[in-house]
Amino acid sequence: MSVRTQSSEQSADAVHRAGFACFVGRPNAGKSTLTNALVGKKVAITSNRPQTTRHTVRGIVHRPDAQLILVDTPGLHKPRTLLGERLNDVVRTTWAEVDVIGFCLPANEKLGPGDRFIAKELAGIKRTPKVAVVTKTDLVDPKTLAEQLIAIDQLGKELGFEWAEIIPVSAVGDKQVDLLADLLVPMLPEGPALYPEGDLTDEPEQVMVAELIREAALEGVRDELPHSIAVVVEEMLPREDRPADRPLLDIHANIYIERTSQKGIIIGPKGRRLKDVGIKSRKQIEALLGTPVFLDLHVKVAKDWQRDPKQLRKLGF
């Protein structure tokens, strides 16, 4: 078992590599946080509740020797709805197309049936190198971490494959994040950069704005809501008649929920919750777009949208 805990040597030959890596793992295993830490800017939505990433958000890591494009997939899980099945299909399609797969396993939780379910699926993908990324190492002591590393090594052996690397990281404490990039890069094919310098994601701005609003709307709501919220940005337009040095972007967005009874949860007493969502997400959107924003939010009911193919299409799934 090779566990990496210090920086690997730079290779002597100066070839440039470019390719795709994706992080997989149970919901809430730290995939989005890791993507953001590697890219160094917030591109994937992070939430402390599971199953919040729906879009394949690509974060792009630019280095002198390589361009590493991170594909952040939804968590793979046993599906209970049509949306769940579609999310799992997205995951499997992504795995087949990337150059390296990073399997995120939190250091502070013992391996469970969900991890085995994913590892079994990974075992079926023969050609792609698989790296075990042990996340959240800041939450455990060295003994617990060592036990987790051994358990992960064993899991690969049981299922008949060898991990290309096993690497403990803490995205929050910024421990070994750069080393992870150093280890992923040699697994990419040689070639020129695939995206212009300075691009951090190829996700359209409207989708990223919608995700930031959804993230703010998810914060602190009761457990029945995570899957029930979808956000669609209807329009983003520069306000007319503004002086060039004081631009303002008007953003109109709808927050969709599945049942009328959920409306009150999102809006809150006297509209306070929705106002908070607006304030929080506006700050994030302004940081992302680098311009002042006027944000207009409305809450609408799209009945049982997760089970209705027509509604799923309309909401972008």
Side-chain angles (χ1 to χ4, degrees):
M1 164 169 100
S2 95
V3 177
R4 294 300 190 108
T5 53
Q6 49 203 274
S7 189
S8 56
E9 294 301 306
Q10 275 289 326
S11 61
D13 52 348
V15 295
H16 188 278
R17 295 176 183 276
F20 294 83
C22 82
F23 293 134
V24 302
R26 298 188 268 116
N28 214 14
K31 302 181 293 290
S32 296
T33 309
L34 192 56
T35 298
N36 291 336
L38 278 161
V39 176
K41 183 171 176 178
K42 189 163 182 166
V43 291
I45 146 175
T46 54
S47 159
N48 59 2
R49 55 182 62 258
Q51 211 36 48
T52 48
T53 308
R54 286 205 194 119
H55 294 278
T56 303
V57 178
R58 292 174 172 82
I60 303 165
V61 183
H62 300 273
R63 297 165 42 124
D65 59 332
Q67 191 175 68
L68 173 66
I69 298 133
L70 301 168
V71 186
D72 187 28
T73 55
L76 192 74
H77 61 303
K78 294 210 163 104
R80 286 189 295 277
T81 61
L82 178 62
L83 174 63
E85 281 169 38
R86 289 211 182 155
L87 293 176
N88 279 358
D89 291 344
V90 168
V91 177
R92 292 193 189 94
T93 313
T94 305
W95 292 3
E97 293 167 353
V98 297
D99 302 298
V100 54
I101 298 170
F103 183 13
C104 294
L105 298 133
N108 63 331
E109 293 172 39
K110 282 201 167 13
L111 299 186
D115 299 314
R116 284 177 192 285
F117 174 70
I118 295 169
K120 248 196 203 117
E121 294 263 341
L122 285 178
I125 296 172
K126 298 291 182 226
R127 287 206 302 272
T128 316
K130 294 168 271 292
V131 174
V133 185
V134 187
T135 58
K136 309 188 185 185
T137 56
D138 51 304
L139 301 179
V140 297
D141 57 42
K143 182 174 174 288
T144 309
L145 179 57
E147 285 165 5
Q148 186 73 325
L149 294 171
I150 292 164
I152 289 166
D153 186 46
Q154 279 303 114
L155 179 63
K157 289 198 172 88
E158 270 168 43
L159 295 170
F161 69 88
E162 183 82 35
W163 299 107
E165 299 279 359
I166 298 177
I167 173 167
V169 300
S170 165
V172 174
D174 201 20
K175 285 206 178 75
Q176 305 229 114
V177 173
D178 289 342
L179 172 59
L180 175 60
D182 291 347
L183 295 176
L184 294 176
V185 162
M187 300 177 197
L188 306 178
E190 290 182 25
L194 302 169
Y195 288 89
E197 181 70 54
D199 278 16
L200 294 175
T201 175
D202 75 348
E203 196 74 353
E205 280 180 347
Q206 253 167 277
V207 176
M208 291 179 74
V209 166
E211 286 287 84
L212 288 172
I213 295 167
R214 206 164 82 85
E215 182 179 23
L218 280 173
E219 229 169 87
V221 290
R222 294 223 298 280
D223 289 343
E224 74 268 23
L225 278 189
H227 296 32
S228 308
I229 298 178
V231 176
V232 176
V233 173
E234 297 295 338
E235 57 176 20
M236 281 171 50
L237 295 169
R239 176 87 52 98
E240 286 176 22
D241 311 326
R242 296 281 294 194
D245 59 339
R246 287 183 51 236
L248 184 68
L249 190 66
D250 283 320
I251 298 178
H252 301 277
N254 290 329
I255 299 174
Y256 288 95
I257 52 201
E258 292 193 295
R259 294 188 296 283
T260 314
S261 60
Q262 296 170 333
K263 220 168 170 175
I265 300 173
I266 292 285
I267 294 171
K270 295 191 175 153
R272 278 203 299 273
R273 221 181 151 269
L274 187 62
K275 197 175 167 191
D276 281 353
V277 170
I279 292 167
K280 269 208 188 91
S281 54
R282 198 186 74 234
K283 275 192 190 139
Q284 298 268 14
I285 293 164
E286 290 182 337
L288 174 76
L289 303 178
T291 179
V293 161
F294 170 80
L295 184 59
D296 176 39
L297 292 180
H298 294 272
V299 181
K300 298 195 168 184
V301 180
K303 205 165 160 13
D304 290 329
W305 66 262
Q306 292 190 70
R307 294 165 199 282
D308 176 348
K310 209 156 82 210
Q311 302 253 37
L312 279 171
R313 268 200 306 280
K314 186 182 151 204
L315 297 173
F317 300 110

